[in-house]
Amino acid sequence: MKKYFWTLAVMAIFAIGFAASDEETSSSEPQKQESPAEKEASEKQEKIKRVAEMAYKLGYETRKKTWGEALSSRAAAEADYRFRYAKDPEDEGQSERWKVFLENYKKGFSDCADDMEKKFKQEEF
């Protein structure tokens, strides 16, 4: 019986300690309230970042799959963009997305080509 009492007592002390440390952490860090404009700008930057990362990966993978073919990075980017978004950019926001997409797609495409060339040079005798 005493064993269970002490086990429960120790567990209760740990639980109280953890709860108190969580409260101190949350109360010591002031919560910054974003204005609607800041929130919108933050969301826009997050979307741009996601498009950039996705485009880079697509460019890299496309070059890897089409290695040895004469393929323009811009033509491949246009095809992938149309496939993904089902149309050409029509307004300013879409044009910005297209620019980010194209820039990062070309970078991924080029980086893959560089990586492949390095790999082949390392394998030469």
Side-chain angles (χ1 to χ4, degrees):
M1 187 70 158
K2 288 182 182 180
K3 181 179 178 182
Y4 295 115
F5 171 77
W6 286 110
T7 303
L8 287 174
V10 169
M11 289 175 58
I13 290 170
F14 279 119
I16 291 169
F18 285 126
S21 68
D22 287 344
E23 287 178 13
E24 287 176 12
T25 303
S26 63
S27 64
S28 65
E29 296 174 5
Q31 296 289 332
K32 181 183 175 193
Q33 296 293 328
E34 289 184 336
S35 69
E38 289 174 329
K39 187 175 182 179
E40 185 177 324
S42 175
E43 288 174 357
K44 182 178 179 182
Q45 288 300 321
E46 187 61 34
K47 286 179 184 178
I48 288 171
K49 182 180 174 185
R50 283 195 313 263
V51 168
E53 290 171 354
M54 177 210 31
Y56 181 88
K57 289 176 186 174
L58 281 171
Y60 196 96
E61 291 301 315
T62 298
R63 180 72 271 180
K64 189 185 284 185
K65 290 176 188 173
T66 60
W67 185 253
E69 296 178 26
L71 182 64
S72 157
S73 61
R74 184 178 180 94
E78 288 173 349
D80 275 342
Y81 185 88
R82 285 189 189 108
F83 177 75
R84 179 160 297 281
Y85 297 107
K87 58 185 174 186
D88 290 332
E90 296 172 347
D91 61 23
E92 187 178 320
Q94 291 175 355
S95 293
E96 183 179 354
R97 179 178 64 197
W98 163 245
K99 289 175 188 173
V100 169
F101 186 92
L102 179 61
E103 179 182 312
N104 286 280
Y105 193 97
K106 285 181 169 182
K107 183 167 177 19
F109 201 88
S110 175
D111 286 354
C112 181
D114 292 345
D115 291 348
M116 296 291 274
E117 287 176 16
K118 286 177 190 175
K119 181 181 176 184
F120 288 127
K121 286 180 181 178
Q122 289 173 352
E123 292 177 2
E124 289 180 7
F125 295 98

